[in-house]
């Protein structure tokens, strides 16, 4: 057909085809007569055409932002031309041109003015205006601005037939990164609330947690409180698009995914079976004051942007305690309540410093004094970079948190409500180091967190700090390494006048007592005794993204190191400020990144800070001579050291709010290769023992009865009905190996070296098929599982090499043989290593489409059909089918496909496809034979019937004759 040779815009209204050309030509083509019934011409290129329901008018959109309305009876020129967004000229000239209208739809209503809906067409005067959708209804013009460019839109109508009043009720708009539906039945045109998780990456995802087999009441509860937090302005009608169905299969346990985001928000998702439905959104930034312009310098020295980015999360589903660690060195403890409250937010400030005493050597070298104050600042900058920041007034920052907690009463809606905010503060001009590990226990009422400086334990029930201690001090007298004696601490004034061993005060005297060593040299001298083997830096394996600096140069250095050591070829640069989790000075950055991950002498890092990489509360034997389990906190460090801290809780729960809690080192020290990643505890028969927890109770319940106020604690795992016995197994996994210790004897029963050439990114003890195993994800892409407690390898498969830091940051395991990670900025990839799940996967897949019957067309009266002059709807069968066109002549040639063609050869050569082809051919042959047999049977039946009839006639003829009459 000739009109197909050019670029066209087609609108079909069978049996007519309305065609708009880019050169401004409009053609109305009749499919039955195969000729053009109408040709019209316009000066501007046509982008789209729309058909009037009665077939008398049509509308075109053009490249100059105009809309033209045409009449079929007089198609010489449009009878109406408008530029909806063009400015009207005073002299009566044509309005100024606008941007092209890319698409227009013209929908009619029976009892009101028609709807004209189009995209584009805005004026050129504002170049920064966002993409928009314009709705014209009568004289009212409404412009809906979109957050993303419009790809396409479609108007939903009450009837699919174009020859009737369409009665539009909604517009579906497909954006580049979203899908919205506009309600046309209300005057303000609100949008429908989207039930699908289109906005999973509304803010970049910074961390994830995955929980399978959670308490079944959590999903309804989270959904109910999430429904109350919905934005205002949504349409009160249900989502108008239907179709598709979820198939849950045989899986019955609920699953929840938690995502932390760069803007400080936390989202809870229902991930049961293969669904993904958003349940509840929590904004952690609401506990802090908004930073004004020019403020936030303390935070800026730790992280370049996104000061509220969620770094770590810890959730106890049974007690509903939720804890968040932010990138600005803070921890927020949340409690769940179904009631709205208006209260002040309690806050604590923790001073956590890496304590290294000054060592004064007898060397007589004297550091020269600064001549004047003007030379002080440049020297500081060259010596320490941005590590020790001195204010313009010459005073160091001290005891200042990075963010300001709201001091006024805050309205907290139902859901998770902030119970306590814990912030690390600046210490002697050094900003707080970011948090590397986090653990919470609701039964003990304690939260523990650590960084590269040390460990802090806070009682969130009494709102007090129980422990704030450097990592070296945690060892106490049980330090396995020999250390040199430390000199007494200098005075506060002496410490303030010296930075990295250099005198900085222009008024102070020369350091005649001896040379003051730098912090790196002091650390190395303290940590390395005569009997201590060389060690690797603390920020390897588990802290790989915790140790990344926030500057561009540090990020590239980290990338180059990983490329050389692990063969990683591609990185995403937009992850720079989300992978930065530990602030380091320029000197340490240059030294640490130039070293390899090996444990040789050459890999000794000058930065000897021993980061806390894993924390775990459990009931265990703290010492070798213990006869019963007691509350303990297991601490793992980046150097592979495991420390056990004893927790002395009040004897009765009634005294918990008044009696103090004591935390003290037990003296037990265990060692592994590499940074410690995870802990677990098994009873004497090898069953996983969960930490004790408090059964959830609403803290703001209206019922103030005795039962409501009293805490209900579960001290042992519900799955273990037997007594724990006189011993237990402690499972510890590091980035290099896994060990199982027998307690209280502390004997290493099993050890398995997981990897030598790479390191683990994530390790979790999970339940699978009523058993327990250790699941590991290695940086070389291998997923491995080990049996417990014997540590026998069960699975080792090369799944996915870590080519993106996003994978390393978001990968996590959960129960029932499942895991997930963020495969792209907008996609969550779930995987399973359970055979049972794989067998049921096909039953869990959903159906994208569901069959829906087409509504019946409106009955047309005789007079309307005779005098209406409107078009009539036709389908393909009516136009081209045998019912209308008649059967083809038998004399015409017919194509009968055979098995010897190309398609047949391809099918026969393709394994299963070949078998299917042969089976289909056999069925065709069988059908042909059955057809022939049917014809023969019919012929025989006809012959039999004729013979029977003839025999009956003969019988009647000779029935009354005698034998002698023949």
């Amino acid at each position: 057909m000739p009109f197909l040779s050019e670029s066209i815009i087609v609108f079909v209204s069978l049996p007519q085809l309305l065609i708009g050309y880019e050169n401004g030509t409009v053609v109305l083509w009749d499919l039955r007569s195969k000729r053009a019934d109408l040709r019209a011409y316009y000066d501007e290129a046509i982008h789209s055409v729309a058909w009037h329901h009665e077939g008398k008018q049509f509308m075109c959109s053009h490249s100059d932002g105009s809309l033209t309305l045409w009449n079929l009876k007089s198609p010489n020129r449009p009878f109406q031309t408008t530029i909806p967004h063009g400015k009207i000229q005073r002299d009566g000239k044509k309005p100024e041109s606008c941007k092209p209208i890319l698409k227009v739809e013209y929908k009619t209503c029976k009892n009101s003015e028609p709807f004209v809906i189009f995209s584009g067409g805005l004026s050129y005067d504002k170049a920064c205006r966002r993409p928009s959708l314009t709705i014209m209804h009568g004289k009212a013009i409404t412009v809906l601005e979109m957050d993303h460019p419009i790809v396409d839109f479609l108007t939903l109508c009450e009837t699919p037939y174009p020859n009737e009043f369409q009665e539009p009720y909604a517009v579906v708009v497909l954006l580049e990164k979203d899908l919205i539906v506009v309600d046309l039945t209300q005057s303000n045109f609100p949008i429908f609330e989207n039930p699908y998780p289109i906005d999973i990456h509304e803010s970049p995802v910074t961390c994830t947690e995955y929980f399978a087999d959670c308490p079944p009441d959590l999903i309804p509860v989270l959904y109910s409180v999430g429904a109350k937090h919905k934005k205002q302005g949504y349409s009160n009608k249900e989502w108008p698009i239907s179709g598709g169905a979820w198939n849950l299969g045989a899986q019955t346990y609920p699953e929840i995914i938690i995502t932390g985001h760069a803007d400080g928000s936390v989202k809870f998702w229902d991930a049961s079976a293969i669904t993904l439905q958003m349940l509840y959104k929590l904004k952690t930034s609401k506990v802090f004051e908004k930073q004004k312009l020019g403020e936030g310098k303390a935070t800026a020295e730790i992280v370049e942007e996104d000061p509220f980015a969620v770094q770590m999360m810890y959730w106890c589903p049974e007690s509903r305690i939720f804890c968040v660690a932010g990138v600005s060195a803070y921890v927020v403890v949340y409690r769940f309540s179904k009631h709205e409250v208006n209260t002040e937010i309690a806050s604590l400030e923790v001073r956590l410093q890496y304590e290294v005493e000054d060592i004064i050597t007898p060397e007589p070298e004297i550091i020269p004094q600064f001549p004047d104050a003007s030379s002080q600042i440049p020297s500081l900058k060259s010596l320490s970079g941005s590590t020790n920041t001195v204010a313009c007034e010459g005073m160091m920052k001290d005891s200042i948190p990075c963010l300001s907690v709201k001091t006024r009463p805050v309205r907290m809606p139902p859901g998770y409500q902030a119970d306590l905010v814990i912030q690390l503060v600046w210490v002697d001009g050094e900003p707080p180091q970011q948090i590397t590990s986090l653990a919470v226990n609701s039964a003990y009422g304690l939260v523990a967190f650590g960084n590269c400086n040390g460990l802090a334990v806070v009682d969130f029930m009494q709102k007090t700090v129980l422990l704030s201690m450097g990592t070296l001090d945690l060892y106490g007298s049980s330090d396995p390494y020999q250390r040199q004696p430390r000199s007494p601490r200098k005075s506060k004034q002496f410490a303030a006048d010296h930075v990295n061993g250099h005198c900085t005060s222009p008024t102070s005297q020369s350091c005649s007592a001896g040379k003051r060593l730098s912090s790196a040299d002091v650390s190395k001298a303290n940590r390395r005794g005569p009997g201590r083997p060389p060690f690797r830096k603390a920020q390897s394996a588990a802290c790989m993204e915790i140790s990344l600096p926030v500057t561009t140069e540090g990020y590239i250095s980290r990338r180059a190191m990983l490329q050389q050591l692990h063969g990683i070829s591609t990185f995403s640069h937009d992850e720079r400020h989300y992978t930065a989790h530990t602030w380091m000075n320029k000197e340490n950055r240059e030294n640490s990144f130039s070293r390899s991950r090996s444990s040789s002498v050459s890999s000794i890092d000058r930065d000897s800070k021993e980061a806390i990489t894993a924390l775990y509360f459990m009931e265990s034997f703290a010492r070798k001579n213990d006869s019963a389990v007691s509350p303990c906190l297991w601490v793992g460090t980046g150097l592979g050291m495991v420390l056990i801290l004893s927790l002395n809780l009040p004897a009765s729960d009634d005294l918990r709010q008044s009696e103090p809690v004591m935390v003290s080192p037990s003296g037990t020290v265990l060692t592994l290769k590499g940074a410690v990643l995870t802990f677990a505890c098994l009873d004497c028969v090898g069953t996983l023992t969960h930490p004790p927890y408090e059964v959830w109770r609403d803290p703001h319940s209206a019922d103030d009865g005795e039962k409501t106020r009293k805490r209900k604690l579960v001290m042992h795992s519900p799955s273990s009905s037997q007594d724990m016995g006189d011993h237990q197994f402690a499972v510890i996994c590091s980035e290099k190996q896994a060990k199982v210790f027998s307690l209280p004897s502390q004997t290493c029963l099993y050890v398995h070296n997981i990897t030598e050439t790479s390191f683990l990114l994530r390790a979790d003890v999970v339940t699978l098929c009523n058993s327990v195993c250790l699941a590991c994800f290695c940086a070389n892409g291998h997923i491995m599982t080990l049996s417990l407690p014997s540590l026998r390898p069960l699975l080792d498969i090369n799944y996915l090499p870590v080519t993106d830091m996003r994978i390393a940051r978001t990968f996590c395991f959960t129960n029932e043989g499942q895991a997930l990670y963020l495969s792209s900025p907008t996609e969550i990839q779930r995987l399973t290593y359970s055979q049972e799940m794989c067998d049921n996967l096909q039953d869990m897949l959903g159906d994208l489409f569901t069959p829906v019957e087409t509504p019946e067309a409106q009955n047309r009266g005789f007079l309307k059909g005779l005098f209406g002059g409107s078009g009539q709807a036709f389908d393909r069968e009516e136009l081209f089918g045998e019912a209308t066109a008649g059967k083809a002549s038998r004399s015409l040639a017919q194509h009968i496909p055979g098995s010897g063609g190309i398609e047949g050869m391809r099918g026969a050569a393709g394994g299963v496809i070949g078998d299917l082809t042969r089976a289909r051919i056999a069925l065709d042959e069988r059908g042909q034979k059955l057809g022939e047999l049917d014809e023969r049977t019919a012929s025989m039946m006809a012959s039999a019937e004729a013979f029977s009839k003839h025999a009956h006639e003969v019988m009647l003829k000779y029935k009354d004759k005698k034998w002698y009459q023949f």
Side-chain angles (χ1 to χ4, degrees), residues 96-302:
E96 63 178 2
S97 299
C98 295
K99 298 178 182 179
I101 296 179
L102 303 179
K103 183 179 180 180
V104 63
E105 289 197 352
Y106 185 40
K107 302 297 181 182
T108 56
C109 302
K110 188 174 183 179
N111 299 321
S112 64
E113 296 291 331
F115 279 90
V116 178
I117 305 169
F118 60 89
S119 60
L122 297 179
S123 59
Y124 285 100
D125 57 348
K126 295 182 180 180
C128 299
R129 294 190 67 173
R130 295 186 294 178
S132 65
L133 184 77
T134 303
I135 302 175
M136 299 174 59
H137 188 212
K139 296 182 179 180
I141 301 178
T142 304
V143 179
L144 304 178
E145 291 189 345
M146 306 296 171
D147 295 331
H148 309 286
I150 298 175
V151 178
D152 196 4
F153 70 90
L154 177 67
T155 306
L156 304 181
C157 303
E158 296 290 347
T159 176
Y161 300 104
N163 62 332
E164 299 177 358
F165 288 101
Q166 285 90 33
E167 300 294 343
Y169 60 89
V171 181
V172 182
V173 186
L174 177 63
L175 308 178
E176 283 190 356
K177 297 183 179 179
D178 205 349
L179 176 71
I180 66 172
V181 182
V182 182
D183 188 358
L184 297 179
T185 61
Q186 300 184 32
S187 58
N188 57 343
F189 301 128
I191 65 173
F192 290 87
E193 184 182 7
N194 199 325
Y196 305 105
I198 303 296
D199 58 346
I200 186 174
H201 215 344
E202 182 182 15
S203 175
V205 179
T206 54
C207 59
T208 56
E209 291 294 338
Y210 189 14
F211 298 86
D213 202 7
C214 333
D217 60 335
L218 276 178
I219 290 180
V221 168
L222 289 173
Y223 183 80
S224 62
V225 297
K228 299 178 181 178
H229 294 178
K230 294 178 181 178
K231 297 180 180 179
Q232 302 296 326
Y234 284 115
S235 173
N236 53 9
K237 297 183 179 180
E238 295 183 357
W239 183 255
I241 304 175
S242 62
W246 295 111
N247 296 327
L248 300 180
Q251 180 178 336
T252 57
Y253 56 84
E255 301 173 72
I256 293 178
I257 296 175
I258 307 178
T259 56
H261 299 262
D263 62 351
S265 62
V266 176
K267 295 181 180 180
F268 292 77
W269 306 84
D270 178 12
S272 304
I274 58 173
T275 62
L276 188 63
Q277 177 71 38
M278 182 174 167
L279 298 174
Y280 172 67
K281 181 179 179 180
L282 172 67
K283 294 182 179 180
T284 62
S285 60
K286 287 189 173 182
V287 301
F288 300 103
E289 297 285 356
K290 293 183 179 180
Q291 293 183 345
K292 299 180 180 179
L293 187 63
E295 294 183 354
K297 294 182 179 179
T299 304
E301 297 180 17
I302 299 180

Side-chain angles (χ1 to χ4, degrees), residues 431-492:
Q433 302 296 312
Q434 295 174 5
I435 295 169
T436 60
S437 56
L438 178 68
V440 183
N441 189 276
S442 58
Y444 303 155
L446 303 179
V447 56
F449 58 93
N451 58 12
C452 62
N453 282 341
L455 173 69
V457 180
V458 175
D459 184 349
F460 62 82
M461 295 182 64
Q462 298 185 20
K463 309 293 189 298
T464 58
V465 179
L466 302 180
L467 177 71
S468 177
M469 187 177 293
T471 311
L472 299 182
D473 298 328
L474 292 175
Y475 291 97
S477 60
S478 302
D479 191 351
Y481 306 112
Q482 300 179 8
R483 304 177 191 272
Q484 295 180 0
R486 291 184 283 187
S487 64
R489 173 178 287 276
K490 301 299 179 181
S491 64
K492 188 73 175 180

Side-chain angles (χ1 to χ4, degrees), residues 12 81 170 247 306 390 438 451 530 537 680 716 791 799 864 876:
V12 178
T81 302
N247 296 327
D306 296 325
V390 181
L438 178 68
N451 58 12
K537 62 181 181 179
H716 301 297
L791 294 179
Y799 174 71
K864 186 176 181 180
R876 180 179 298 179

